[in-house]
Amino acid sequence: MDGEELTEQETALYDRQIRVWGADAQRRLSKSHILVCGLKGTVAEFCKNIVLAGVGSVTLVDDRVVTDESLPANFLILPHENHYNGKTLAEVCCDSLKEFNPMVHVAVETGDISTFGIEFFEKFDAVIISCCSLGKKKLINQKCRKLSKRVAFYTVECRGSCGEMFVDLQDYKYSKKKLEETIECQIEYPSFEEAISVPWRALPRRVSKLYFAMRVIEQFEDVEGRNPGETSIADRLGVLKLRRELCETNSLDESQIPDALLERLLTDTREFPPVCAIIGGILGQEVIKAISGKGDPLKNFFFFDAMDGKGLIEDISGPSTRS
């Protein structure tokens, strides 16, 4: 991303944020290209944030047709407009995002992202996916890791009052200021598959209960062939059975994954707008840090639960990539 300098128009438009993180960081942002797949409320918040920040381009992938169920958490879909006529989520969100910042190129890509060749991902600096199956998350992450350049990879999910974000920056180098000195830092990240494969008994004793609960729901959907969010309280017995099996396999006490938490994740499948705003804001901040190379990045999971109002960062890594 060592390209042209900022234009006069860009310098004038982004003057305030240039004062915060500097012209070089803004230049990197303005030359960056972001791929986003899965346009629900949390991702809509993220897209708004990075478009306003002034990235070079955002490419949207989501062929699902807009329905009434799309409206509650996704503010990019205006509720008073009833003329979508079969438009996809990507198309409608694209139109809205263009109005936020005309200097950012926003486009739509159609098709199943899991079928796109590795070369397709080469043109992006960050890939963000949501509403994707377990297998699709692993596959896209693997494709990003096979590229000759480093492509930042993120997954984000929001279920009711709970949310989760995963980050993979591979072998990441960045700088930060300590007093008057600039320090060069390096962090090695595991892939999504490597992270969730770490045995539960090998994790720190106080890992977020939401981490375990999300893995149970994720695996249940995968085994049942469901799309993310296609669960209900009717699945309670099946989920509890899977929890017991996973806890036995991983030598984990079932109390670490409370019934009440699993029931909330099963029943509250729609996104809660305030949670979308929080997680979408943090995701935007992390992508900006990864592109600009400034500031301590998050490693490698972030969890938020509105029931206690806490956000937790957890480093779920094997011995070779643990900080």
Side-chain angles (χ1 to χ4, degrees):
M1 288 183 286
D2 296 326
E4 304 170 358
E5 296 299 317
L6 293 170
T7 65
E8 289 185 13
Q9 188 178 6
E10 288 173 325
T11 302
L13 179 62
Y14 304 127
D15 176 66
R16 289 187 177 183
Q17 53 206 53
I18 289 173
R19 294 169 189 263
V20 174
W21 53 54
D24 182 60
Q26 188 62 50
R27 180 185 61 80
R28 288 172 177 268
L29 280 174
S30 69
K31 309 306 175 189
S32 66
H33 305 285
I34 314 298
L35 176 65
V36 179
C37 177
L39 290 157
K40 293 181 72 176
T42 305
V43 173
E45 288 281 353
F46 162 75
C47 288
K48 176 259 295 179
N49 292 334
I50 60 166
V51 166
L52 290 175
V55 296
S57 73
V58 178
T59 300
L60 307 176
V61 182
D62 197 326
D63 293 340
R64 292 176 298 171
V65 175
V66 175
T67 65
D68 289 341
E69 292 184 355
S70 310
L71 300 177
N74 191 336
F75 67 90
L76 295 177
I77 306 172
L78 302 180
H80 63 270
E81 294 187 14
N82 56 4
H83 56 274
Y84 295 122
N85 296 327
K87 280 190 173 182
T88 66
L89 284 167
E91 291 170 334
V92 173
C93 292
C94 178
D95 293 340
S96 295
L97 286 169
K98 286 178 178 178
E99 297 181 8
F100 280 91
N101 188 348
M103 293 189 68
V104 176
H105 179 69
V106 186
V108 172
E109 187 76 34
T110 59
D112 181 353
I113 191 172
S114 65
T115 66
F116 296 173
I118 293 177
E119 66 282 353
F120 172 79
F121 299 92
E122 185 89 43
K123 54 192 173 185
F124 299 103
D125 300 294
V127 173
I128 294 86
I129 65 170
S130 182
C131 316
C132 288
S133 67
L134 175 61
K136 193 172 290 189
K137 291 176 186 177
K138 293 178 181 179
L139 178 62
I140 298 170
N141 191 195
Q142 288 170 0
K143 289 182 178 181
C144 290
R145 281 182 154 255
K146 289 179 180 178
L147 297 171
S148 57
K149 71 170 190 177
R150 183 183 61 81
V151 175
F153 174 83
Y154 303 80
T155 71
V156 61
E157 301 295 341
C158 183
R159 294 171 182 261
S161 58
C162 298
E164 172 190 82
M165 181 174 76
F166 168 79
V167 182
D168 176 17
L169 302 183
Q170 301 180 39
D171 187 9
Y172 180 66
K173 299 176 182 178
Y174 67 102
S175 61
K176 67 176 182 179
K177 282 192 174 182
K178 187 174 182 181
L179 299 177
E180 298 300 317
E181 186 181 2
T182 298
I183 302 174
E184 299 300 322
C185 307
Q186 183 173 356
I187 302 179
E188 188 175 349
Y189 286 74
S191 68
F192 179 71
E193 184 169 11
E194 289 169 340
I196 65 171
S197 297
V198 175
W200 291 355
R201 59 181 173 274
L203 297 175
R205 294 182 63 182
R206 293 193 176 183
V207 167
S208 169
K209 290 180 170 61
L210 191 51
Y211 171 75
F212 299 119
M214 291 291 280
R215 304 287 75 77
V216 173
I217 299 293
E218 189 176 62
Q219 289 201 36
F220 178 80
E221 290 173 340
D222 186 54
V223 170
E224 295 292 320
R226 311 268 187 94
N227 291 319
E230 289 185 353
T231 56
S232 70
I233 196 62
D235 298 309
R236 181 178 180 275
L237 292 179
V239 169
L240 292 180
K241 179 176 180 291
L242 179 59
R243 178 192 63 180
R244 183 171 62 253
E245 294 170 354
L246 290 173
C247 286
E248 288 176 355
T249 301
N250 287 278
S251 303
L252 184 75
D253 193 307
E254 288 187 48
S255 64
Q256 288 293 102
I257 317 175
D259 290 12
L261 178 55
L262 288 173
E263 289 169 5
R264 282 170 53 206
L265 295 175
L266 283 173
T267 55
D268 299 336
T269 55
R270 290 190 178 185
E271 294 176 301
F272 187 40
V275 176
C276 294
I278 292 169
I279 299 176
I282 292 172
L283 177 57
Q285 171 185 287
E286 289 304 314
V287 171
I288 288 171
K289 285 194 289 187
I291 292 171
S292 67
K294 292 189 175 182
D296 289 309
L298 183 156
K299 186 189 178 188
N300 54 343
F301 279 92
F302 174 79
F303 301 97
F304 182 79
D305 189 343
M307 293 295 286
D308 58 20
K310 292 181 179 179
L312 296 173
I313 297 172
E314 299 282 8
D315 183 353
I316 310 293
S317 307
S320 62
T321 56
R322 187 165 294 155
S323 298

